[in-house]
Coordinates of all heavy atoms in Angstrom, one line a residue:
A59 N -215.9 -13.1 31.2 CA -216.8 -14.2 31.1 C -216.7 -15.2 32.3 O -217.6 -15.6 32.9 CB -216.6 -15.0 29.8
P97 N -194.4 -41.3 34.8 CA -194.8 -39.9 34.6 C -195.7 -39.7 33.4 O -195.6 -40.4 32.5 CB -193.4 -39.3 34.4 CG -192.6 -40.4 33.8 CD -193.1 -41.6 34.4
D117 N -195.1 -27.8 18.3 CA -196.3 -27.1 17.8 C -196.5 -27.3 16.3 O -197.4 -26.9 15.7 CB -196.3 -25.6 18.1 CG -195.2 -24.9 17.4 OD1 -194.2 -25.6 17.0 OD2 -195.3 -23.7 17.1
A174 N -195.6 -8.5 57.3 CA -196.2 -9.7 58.0 C -195.4 -10.9 57.8 O -195.1 -11.7 58.7 CB -197.6 -9.9 57.6
D217 N -190.4 -25.3 19.3 CA -189.5 -26.2 18.5 C -188.0 -25.8 18.4 O -187.2 -26.4 17.7 CB -190.0 -26.5 17.1 CG -190.3 -25.2 16.4 OD1 -189.9 -24.2 16.8 OD2 -191.0 -25.3 15.3
D236 N -177.1 -14.7 39.2 CA -176.6 -13.5 39.7 C -177.0 -13.3 41.2 O -176.2 -12.9 42.0 CB -177.2 -12.3 38.9 CG -176.6 -12.2 37.6 OD1 -175.5 -12.7 37.3 OD2 -177.2 -11.5 36.7
F250 N -172.9 -24.2 34.3 CA -174.1 -24.1 33.6 C -173.9 -24.1 32.1 O -174.6 -24.8 31.3 CB -174.8 -22.8 34.0 CG -176.0 -22.3 33.2 CD1 -177.2 -22.9 33.4 CD2 -175.8 -21.3 32.2 CE1 -178.3 -22.5 32.7 CE2 -176.9 -20.9 31.5 CZ -178.1 -21.5 31.7
D274 N -177.5 -13.7 23.1 CA -178.9 -13.2 23.3 C -179.3 -12.9 24.8 O -180.1 -12.1 25.0 CB -179.9 -14.2 22.7 CG -179.7 -14.3 21.2 OD1 -179.0 -13.5 20.6 OD2 -180.3 -15.3 20.6
Q279 N -178.6 -9.0 31.2 CA -178.3 -9.0 32.6 C -178.6 -7.6 33.2 O -178.2 -6.6 32.7 CB -176.8 -9.3 32.8 CG -176.3 -9.5 34.2 CD -174.9 -9.9 34.3 OE1 -174.0 -9.4 33.5 NE2 -174.6 -10.9 35.1
S295 N -186.7 12.6 30.8 CA -187.8 12.7 29.7 C -189.1 13.1 30.3 O -190.0 13.6 29.6 CB -187.8 11.4 28.9 OG -188.5 10.4 29.7
Q296 N -189.4 12.7 31.6 CA -190.6 13.1 32.2 C -190.6 14.4 32.8 O -191.6 14.9 33.4 CB -191.0 12.0 33.3 CG -191.7 10.8 32.8 CD -192.4 10.0 33.9 OE1 -192.1 10.2 35.1 NE2 -193.2 9.1 33.5
S352 N -178.1 16.8 25.3 CA -178.6 18.2 25.6 C -180.1 18.2 25.9 O -180.6 19.1 26.6 CB -178.3 19.1 24.4 OG -178.9 18.6 23.2
S375 N -167.5 -1.1 47.1 CA -166.3 -1.8 47.0 C -165.2 -1.2 46.0 O -164.1 -1.6 46.0 CB -166.5 -3.3 46.5 OG -167.1 -3.2 45.2
L394 N -187.2 1.3 26.7 CA -186.8 2.7 26.7 C -187.5 3.5 25.6 O -188.1 4.5 25.9 CB -185.3 2.8 26.5 CG -184.7 4.2 26.5 CD1 -185.0 5.0 27.8 CD2 -183.2 4.2 26.2
E403 N -195.7 11.9 24.4 CA -197.1 12.2 24.2 C -197.7 12.9 25.4 O -198.5 13.9 25.2 CB -197.9 10.8 24.0 CG -199.3 10.9 23.5 CD -200.3 11.3 24.6 OE1 -200.1 10.8 25.8 OE2 -201.3 12.0 24.3
Q413 N -205.0 22.6 20.2 CA -205.1 22.8 18.7 C -206.3 22.0 18.2 O -207.0 22.5 17.3 CB -203.8 22.2 18.1 CG -202.6 23.1 18.4 CD -201.3 22.4 17.8 OE1 -201.3 21.3 17.3 NE2 -200.2 23.1 18.1
W424 N -220.2 20.4 5.1 CA -219.6 20.5 3.8 C -220.7 20.7 2.8 O -221.8 20.0 2.9 CB -218.8 19.2 3.5 CG -217.7 19.0 4.4 CD1 -217.1 19.8 5.3 CD2 -217.0 17.8 4.5 NE1 -216.1 19.3 6.0 CE2 -216.0 18.0 5.5 CE3 -217.0 16.5 3.9 CZ2 -215.1 17.0 5.9 CZ3 -216.1 15.5 4.3 CH2 -215.2 15.8 5.2
A445 N -210.7 13.6 18.0 CA -211.8 12.6 18.4 C -212.1 12.8 19.9 O -213.2 12.7 20.3 CB -211.2 11.2 18.1
L450 N -215.9 14.9 24.1 CA -216.0 15.6 25.4 C -216.8 16.9 25.4 O -217.2 17.4 26.4 CB -214.6 15.8 26.0 CG -213.8 14.6 26.3 CD1 -212.5 15.0 26.9 CD2 -214.6 13.6 27.2
R459 N -221.0 17.6 14.9 CA -220.4 16.4 15.4 C -220.4 15.3 14.3 O -219.4 14.6 14.1 CB -221.2 15.8 16.6 CG -220.5 14.7 17.4 CD -221.4 14.2 18.5 NE -221.8 15.3 19.4 CZ -221.0 15.7 20.4 NH1 -219.8 15.2 20.6 NH2 -221.5 16.7 21.2
P518 N -212.6 2.1 18.8 CA -212.8 0.8 19.4 C -212.5 0.9 20.9 O -211.4 0.6 21.4 CB -211.8 -0.1 18.7 CG -210.7 0.9 18.2 CD -211.5 2.1 17.9

Side-chain angles (χ1 to χ4, degrees):
D117 65 335
D217 54 11
D236 286 345
F250 170 81
D274 296 346
Q279 188 174 41
S295 74
Q296 273 195 347
S352 58
S375 64
L394 178 62
E403 193 280 325
Q413 293 174 358
W424 299 345
L450 298 182
R459 192 184 305 277

